[in-house]
Amino acid sequence: MNTLTFLTIVADQREELLSNNYSALCPRPEESQLDLMSNRAQVVIGVRRCGKSTLCEMFLKRKGIDFAYVNFDDERMNDIKASDLDHLLEALYMTYGEFKYLFLDEIQNVEGWPLFVNRLLRQKMHLFITGSNSKLLSKELSTHLTGRNNKVELYPFSYSEYCVMKKVDTTSLSTKAKGARKSTLHEYLLQGGFPELFNESNRRGYINGLLDAIIKNDIATRFKVRNVEALRRIAAYLADNYCQEFVAKTVGELFEVSNHTAENYYSYLKEAFLLVGVNQFSYKSKDRVRNEKVYVVDTAFVTEREDNFSLENLGWKLENIICIELMRRYKPLFCDVFYYKEASSQVDFVIAKDGNVLELIQVSYDISAEKTRNREIRGLKNASKALKCDNLTLVTFEEQGTIEEDGCTINIVPATEWLLKK
């Protein structure tokens, strides 16, 4: 590709950028993780359409920064090579003039991009980069940009952000406000938090198109998957069976692929941020690596997907959004999120840092049934003794209170309150 070809693409993308109006969108907490003055590349990664580009654009515009922009997720750039990037840079200078800030959107589509980025960093360029594949980015970053990148993970809207977009009062203690928050949470459990769905009438069409793009573009093409139909069916099966442990043998037998292929496909789905894996807590590394529970990055992939069979399980949906919220909150603090399981009980989430357990969190939509209540409490008490942790939380849809049993104090917190906690 030559400079003249890039000139047209860059000019078109600049017009689109200038026409964007983000006044109706809410600021996102991840902006605080971006560093405007850093000499490191600011790398924002996450599932397609979760708002990575918008986050960077809003951040730079709010700071009053003049920046150049190129989006590599453009069909006209399908054949771009590393050797073309200098021509692209020329086109950017011809379009934008002198600039010190450059925003490279979906950079992982270009083979050999880290060397180009490294050169720009050596020239003191301030770079903002987005990407939709964790392994490609992480591998390249660790190989070529060690110590020269600041990685920020972004997810679809949280419940708190969903409330802002819906103009729901999150602070009033009135009965009306509390009821509105519960109603909004129920809606969020079903609809998820993809930003573009707020203005999309055909939600199912949007999610199916997004899933298709992830399967084809982010996985099949990049990893040269030959049996795309098996990959698609496995993705649907795991999305239907979220909040459950992944067993390669079961998946392999069900879809007539080898255990190795099942494991590979599962890893690809995680690398494209469609699925999130949570390891079992254990002081033995082999147990942590071997056992993993599956979550979806957003519940829209459950409720709005074609041929789904998991519409009714609100308990799983609540557990799933708590899981993703824990990732948002604790990954930037360098904490790990696990689950705990023993012979007679389990706990949904264990928060740990440097091998020390900080908190145990159990999630149950409804604990009004005595059997359910006893099961959830027993899991927390057993894990508390085994892991020597007395910070115990039980998140439910609406119940609130404190339980004192066998020397353990368990705080029962309504999900709306827990999710809105700063």
Side-chain angles (χ1 to χ4, degrees), residues 320-368:
N320 197 97
I321 68 168
I322 296 296
C323 173
I324 301 303
E325 183 63 26
L326 289 171
M327 298 295 175
R328 285 192 194 93
R329 293 181 183 183
Y330 284 105
K331 277 198 170 185
L333 303 178
F334 306 103
C335 295
D336 297 306
V337 180
F338 299 96
Y339 72 98
Y340 179 77
K341 186 177 181 179
E342 57 181 19
S344 60
S345 62
Q346 63 178 3
V347 169
D348 294 318
F349 302 109
V350 177
I351 311 303
K353 185 171 185 178
D354 301 327
N356 298 311
V357 177
L358 306 179
E359 185 176 5
L360 302 175
I361 300 172
Q362 196 78 295
V363 182
S364 183
Y365 187 87
D366 181 7
I367 58 171
S368 59

Side-chain angles (χ1 to χ4, degrees), residues 372-392:
T372 302
R373 189 183 190 90
N374 290 339
R375 183 187 66 231
E376 306 297 0
I377 292 171
R378 182 175 65 252
L380 283 168
K381 290 195 301 183
N382 290 348
S384 175
K385 292 181 176 64
L387 304 180
K388 296 179 174 55
C389 176
D390 57 6
N391 186 9
L392 313 178

Side-chain angles (χ1 to χ4, degrees), residues 8-50:
T8 300
I9 298 172
V10 169
D12 288 346
Q13 291 183 356
R14 188 188 189 196
E15 281 190 12
E16 184 179 346
L17 185 72
L18 292 172
S19 69
N20 289 336
N21 180 10
Y22 298 130
S23 60
L25 296 182
C26 64
R28 307 195 68 178
E30 287 80 5
E31 281 191 35
S32 65
Q33 299 176 44
L34 297 172
D35 188 346
L36 191 66
M37 303 309 296
S38 174
N39 291 322
R40 298 183 296 164
Q42 306 298 300
V43 183
V44 182
I45 61 175
V47 68
R48 278 177 176 260
R49 315 313 300 168
C50 70

